[in-house]
Amino acid sequence: MDRVTRTWWKTVLGVVLTAVMLFPLYWMINVSLTERGAIRNGDLYPKAFTLEHYDVVLHDQLPYLGTSILVGVGTVVLTLAISAPAAYALSRLVLPGRRVLSFLLIVAQMIPAVVMALGFYTIYTNLGILDTVPGLILADSTIAVPFGVMLFAAFMTGIPRELLQAAQIDGASYWRTFRSVVMPVARNSAVTVGLFAFLWAWSDFLFASTLNRDGGKLRPITMGLYDYIGSQNQQWGELMATAVLASIPTAILLLVAQRYVAAGVTAGAVKD
């Protein structure tokens, strides 16, 4: 009983802090369900309930939502295709300059995204891939790949060497060992890297506004939000409804991949 008495305030504090953090999400949903004329009243619940904003958003924003899904999936595929083999080479193979490459990966994550966006703009203009989905996938992958390599390398370093040697004794090549032994074992890390890559691509605004501003209906959902923001008027109902709609895929992914992420983010942290 004394133990419960000593810890009850921690529970209350946790509930209060959680409520404070979730209140913006609740307010977003509240505004999205409130009629336009009643939004300025600031009611704590949608007294003037309406689904009109969602009707408008589903009609206007579905192309942008499809583009964001395409960019997110493309970023995941490209990130995994590059980071997993690179991490295997850095962690398990005799690679000249391995320490330098690992250091450069850390440095790459310190470069401001706005600097990268300006460089990409010039390169994309010369290559003719400005305002295209592949260009946006490539740009978003530059953020996710260094993180993916570091996470994969942390896990692959902890894989027992005997497991890899057994595969080589059976005649497996480096590529076959990587594909048939290492990657199945690194499943949790792969899910974690893929999830973070998707979230980065999904929430990206800087690259989208710089490299795909004139992409028309091929712009991602973060740019579609700007259809409801004007210099003289803001359509708050549609804006919040779009934000709610854009939050649903990421919330589903987080719920589905939660147990894999919990194992993947601690990969390599403990040695046997």
Side-chain angles (χ1 to χ4, degrees), residues 19-255:
V20 170
M21 289 187 293
L22 292 180
F23 182 77
L25 177 62
Y26 168 76
W27 193 255
M28 182 173 67
I29 298 174
N30 177 37
V31 173
S32 71
L33 296 173
T34 302
E35 292 182 359
R36 184 188 305 273
I39 290 177
R40 293 187 179 275
N41 296 336
D43 298 321
L44 289 177
Y45 65 94
K47 292 182 179 180
F49 181 84
T50 182
L51 293 175
E52 178 184 356
H53 305 311
Y54 285 95
D55 290 337
V56 174
V57 166
L58 288 175
H59 180 268
D60 295 343
Q61 298 293 325
L62 282 183
Y64 303 126
L65 189 65
T67 299
S68 286
I69 293 176
L70 181 60
V71 171
V73 173
T75 301
V76 170
V77 173
L78 185 58
T79 299
L80 292 177
I82 296 176
S83 61
Y88 178 61
L90 287 174
S91 61
R92 310 305 299 185
L93 303 182
V94 179
L95 185 66
R98 180 171 56 183
R99 294 182 182 274
V100 176
L101 290 174
S102 299
F103 176 75
L104 291 177
L105 288 173
I106 299 176
V107 173
Q109 298 184 73
M110 299 179 182
I111 301 175
V114 63
V115 176
M116 299 174 62
L118 293 175
F120 278 133
Y121 186 87
T122 303
I123 296 172
Y124 281 20
T125 301
N126 295 332
L127 295 178
I129 57 175
L130 195 65
D131 300 322
T132 64
V133 172
L136 201 54
I137 292 174
L138 180 61
D140 289 331
S141 298
T142 59
I143 301 294
V145 166
F147 169 81
V149 173
M150 295 180 67
L151 185 62
F152 270 127
F155 176 81
M156 292 178 183
T157 301
I159 296 178
R161 186 173 298 275
E162 292 78 11
L163 184 63
L164 304 181
Q165 290 174 345
Q168 294 172 1
I169 291 174
D170 290 338
S173 62
Y174 284 125
W175 171 248
R176 180 63 184 273
T177 302
F178 167 76
R179 180 169 54 88
S180 301
V181 178
V182 175
M183 285 308 298
V185 174
R187 179 186 60 178
N188 291 339
S189 296
V191 173
T192 303
V193 171
L195 179 62
F196 277 91
F198 185 88
L199 292 178
W200 278 324
W202 186 268
S203 61
D204 168 63
F205 174 76
L206 184 59
F207 286 147
S209 61
T210 305
L211 306 175
N212 200 19
R213 176 180 293 274
D214 298 324
K217 290 299 183 180
L218 292 180
R219 294 180 298 166
I221 194 70
T222 49
M223 292 299 297
L225 287 167
Y226 267 69
D227 289 349
Y228 304 123
I229 301 177
S231 58
Q232 303 296 329
N233 182 38
Q234 288 80 37
Q235 298 172 265
W236 291 111
E238 289 81 357
L239 186 65
M240 294 301 178
T242 303
V244 172
L245 183 66
S247 301
I248 293 175
T250 55
I252 294 175
L253 281 176
L254 287 172
L255 290 175

